[in-house]
Amino acid sequence: MVKKYNKTKKKSLKLKLSKKKYKELIEKKKKKSISKKDNKILEKELNKKYCKCIKSLKIKHSKNSEIYKGKYGICMNSIYKNRGFNPPYNVSNLCKLYYSF
């Protein structure tokens, strides 16, 4: 029996929001006055930034370096924690949608 693998097209890591709109959504989320639609858009953008950060650290550093080993924590702090947000559960698994490990 031969297994067929689903070759799904990877999503783009390119950010869709302007910097101005992105900052507005972050301010709304901090004030807890964000709509569900805007929150969903913001979460997608934050996830893209997180995945982009991990990908860039994987490419730039060798597997033996401390930065490579701590890439998930480094990116988690820079994208979610520094903005004052709680990260979604298992957010690094969503990076499979954007690039292959």
Side-chain angles (χ1 to χ4, degrees), residues 50-66:
Y50 176 74
C51 293
K52 200 173 199 178
C53 175
I54 289 174
K55 186 176 180 180
S56 67
L57 289 179
K58 278 181 144 182
I59 292 170
K60 288 180 184 175
H61 300 283
S62 67
K63 288 188 176 185
N64 297 332
S65 71
E66 292 296 319

Side-chain angles (χ1 to χ4, degrees), residues 50-51 53-55 57-58 66-83 85 87 91-92 95:
Y50 176 74
C51 293
C53 175
I54 289 174
K55 186 176 180 180
L57 289 179
K58 278 181 144 182
E66 292 296 319
I67 293 175
Y68 183 88
K69 292 175 183 173
K71 64 187 170 286
Y72 295 104
I74 291 169
C75 293
M76 186 69 67
N77 277 337
S78 68
I79 303 300
Y80 289 102
K81 302 283 181 155
N82 288 349
R83 290 172 175 82
F85 303 143
V91 71
S92 56
C95 292

Side-chain angles (χ1 to χ4, degrees), residues 19-33:
K19 287 184 181 182
K20 184 179 177 184
K21 179 73 173 169
Y22 177 73
K23 290 193 184 274
E24 284 176 15
L25 292 179
I26 286 183
E27 288 303 316
K28 281 184 180 180
K29 185 160 178 143
K30 283 182 180 178
K31 293 177 184 174
K32 300 189 190 280
S33 64

